[in-house]
């Protein structure tokens, strides 16, 4: 399917007040023996599925106020899976986004959920299950002292981005294809340090997830204090995904079925509403759909 103008508009809605009603009342998430039976025997015997994440992108996945509990939409989905499958889905914060795919390919973890964007290139290495729409925007110091209004305005400036992220690739592509005066790309392993670079003036801006940028601007939590997103900048609308190494067909198919049940029950809509993400809901479970995303 293609991302419609409706989804582009939905990103804009995130910048305002968008407590949206959802149809019907959510059913209770409950254990489902048929789902558990779909899991690989090794996971059923171990009683757990290991999940890699990077907990620094509110409201998708981040650390709670006590800095010990992982919270956000991703955590709520994982808690629901634990109940539905009757085994523990155990989340581990790797702290570094660039470590996610190597960890999955090495089978250190069974899956990841960390706002990882779907790309055709990544889908050659991973199976990717979209669980929400998202895009990218620019974040600057609060008040936008440099008057940045577009990706083109980043030309000739230093821009901080996370190592190995789709945002890093977008900034490099912009520099090469748009800029006469190239962007100085400051690639930093850990996202909190990316934000610090902007806050302290070490970098003029960063490019990050749209939902995270708008949420951080509104709530000014953690290391986002003193920053703002530019909601009029909406780049690369696409999917955030659950990712697995190729060859995990049993777990992949079980997750697809479980996610569809989560959608059908209304629980998924309730989770999105809780985290102010209701406009970015996926309509149905799908697999490796990046090729169908319309470029914008």
């Amino acid at each position: 399917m293609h991302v419609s103008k409706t989804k582009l508009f939905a990103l804009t809605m995130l910048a305002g007040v968008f407590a949206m009603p959802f149809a019907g009342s959510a059913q209770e998430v409950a254990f489902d023996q048929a789902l558990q039976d779909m899991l690989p025997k090794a996971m059923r015997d171990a009683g757990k599925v290991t999940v890699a994440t990077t907990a620094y992108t509110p409201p998708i996945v981040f650390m709670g106020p006590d800095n010990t509990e992982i919270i956000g939409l991703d955590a709520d989905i994982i808690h629901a899976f634990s109940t539905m499958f009757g085994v523990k889905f155990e989340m581990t914060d790797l702290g570094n986004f660039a470590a996610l795919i190597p960890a999955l390919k090495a089978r250190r973890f069974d899956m990841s959920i960390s706002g990882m964007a779907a790309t055709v290139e990544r889908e050659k290495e991973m199976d990717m299950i979209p669980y929400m729409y998202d895009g990218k925007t620019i974040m600057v110091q609060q008040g936008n002292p440099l008057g940045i209004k577009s990706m083109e305005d980043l030309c000739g400036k230093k821009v901080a981005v996370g190592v190995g992220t789709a945002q890093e690739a977008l900034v490099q592509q912009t520099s090469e294809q748009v800029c006469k005066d190239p962007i100085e790309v400051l690639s930093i392993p850990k996202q909190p340090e990316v934000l610090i670079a902007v806050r302290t003036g070490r970098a003029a801006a960063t490019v990050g997830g749209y939902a995270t940028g708008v949420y951080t601007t509104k709530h000014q939590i953690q290391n986002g204090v003193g920053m703002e997103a530019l909601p009029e900048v909406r780049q690369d609308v696409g999917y955030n995904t659950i990712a697995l190494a190729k060859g995990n067909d049993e777990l992949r198919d079980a997750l697809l079925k479980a996610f569809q049940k989560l959608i059908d029950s209304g629980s998924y809509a309730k989770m999105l509403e809780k985290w102010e993400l209701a406009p970015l809901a996926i309509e149905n479970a799908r697999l490796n759909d990046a090729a169908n995303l319309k470029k914008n």
Side-chain angles (χ1 to χ4, degrees):
M1 62 166 292
H2 292 310
V3 176
S4 66
K5 290 182 180 179
T6 302
K7 290 304 171 187
L8 290 170
F9 177 68
L11 287 176
T12 307
M13 290 178 65
L14 288 176
V17 178
F18 46 81
M20 295 179 62
F22 63 96
S25 59
Q27 300 174 18
E28 290 293 326
V29 173
F31 171 64
D32 187 325
Q33 184 65 57
L35 284 178
Q36 187 181 90
D37 291 344
M38 293 180 71
L39 289 175
K41 184 176 184 301
M43 293 177 191
R44 297 199 307 271
D45 291 347
K48 71 176 181 179
V49 176
T50 56
V51 184
T53 193
T54 49
Y56 48 58
T57 53
I60 297 165
V61 58
F62 61 116
M63 299 305 295
D66 61 1
N67 210 37
T68 60
E69 181 187 7
I70 299 173
I71 63 174
L73 174 65
D74 290 3
D76 286 357
I77 291 172
I78 290 303
H79 293 327
F81 284 169
S82 292
T83 298
M84 296 167 76
F85 284 98
V87 302
K88 183 177 182 181
F89 278 64
E90 185 176 83
M91 296 184 79
T92 299
D93 178 17
L94 300 190
N96 181 351
F97 184 87
L100 283 175
I101 292 178
L104 291 173
K105 292 175 70 176
R107 303 301 176 101
R108 288 179 51 213
F109 295 90
D110 299 316
M111 58 178 281
S112 79
I113 184 168
S114 189
M116 186 185 294
T119 68
V120 173
E121 292 73 21
R122 283 175 176 167
E123 288 177 357
K124 293 175 183 176
E125 300 182 281
M126 318 294 298
D127 280 329
M128 308 192 84
I129 301 170
Y131 64 90
M132 65 173 281
Y133 290 99
D134 201 358
K136 301 176 184 66
T137 193
I138 299 169
M139 291 194 74
V140 297
Q141 285 184 348
Q142 201 162 34
N144 195 7
L146 298 180
I148 294 169
K149 296 181 180 179
S150 67
M151 292 294 293
E152 289 79 5
D153 288 342
L154 300 179
C155 297
K157 296 180 175 64
K158 184 181 289 186
V159 177
V161 287
V163 173
T165 61
Q167 291 91 325
E168 180 186 48
L170 176 62
V171 172
Q172 290 172 338
Q173 181 183 40
T174 300
S175 182
E176 293 167 2
Q177 298 182 2
V178 176
C179 298
K180 293 182 179 179
D181 189 3
I183 297 170
E184 184 178 349
V185 182
L186 179 61
S187 297
I188 299 175
K190 296 185 178 181
Q191 184 65 19
E193 295 171 7
V194 171
L195 300 183
I196 289 171
V198 179
R199 290 175 61 212
T200 59
R202 183 181 171 204
T206 183
V207 174
Y210 194 100
T212 292
V214 171
Y215 187 91
T216 299
T217 298
K218 180 178 178 180
H219 294 276
Q220 292 293 322
I221 61 173
Q222 297 178 337
N223 289 326
V225 174
M227 296 188 67
E228 68 177 81
L230 306 182
E232 67 276 11
V233 178
R234 301 183 297 279
Q235 297 287 323
D236 284 359
V237 177
Y239 299 130
N240 287 345
T241 64
I242 297 167
L244 309 87
K246 294 289 188 183
N248 287 340
D249 294 1
E250 289 178 287
L251 177 59
R252 177 200 67 200
D253 293 346
L255 292 172
L256 276 166
K257 184 171 183 180
F259 184 52
Q260 186 62 56
K261 288 178 71 70
L262 207 59
I263 293 171
D264 293 342
S265 72
S267 296
Y268 167 68
K270 190 72 172 177
M271 293 173 189
L272 289 167
E273 186 178 42
K274 170 185 173 182
W275 294 108
E276 305 178 0
L277 296 169
L280 303 182
I282 291 288
E283 301 86 354
N284 50 64
R286 61 197 68 159
L287 177 68
N288 297 334
D289 199 48
N292 290 321
L293 290 168
K294 183 183 294 183
K295 294 299 181 182
N296 55 88

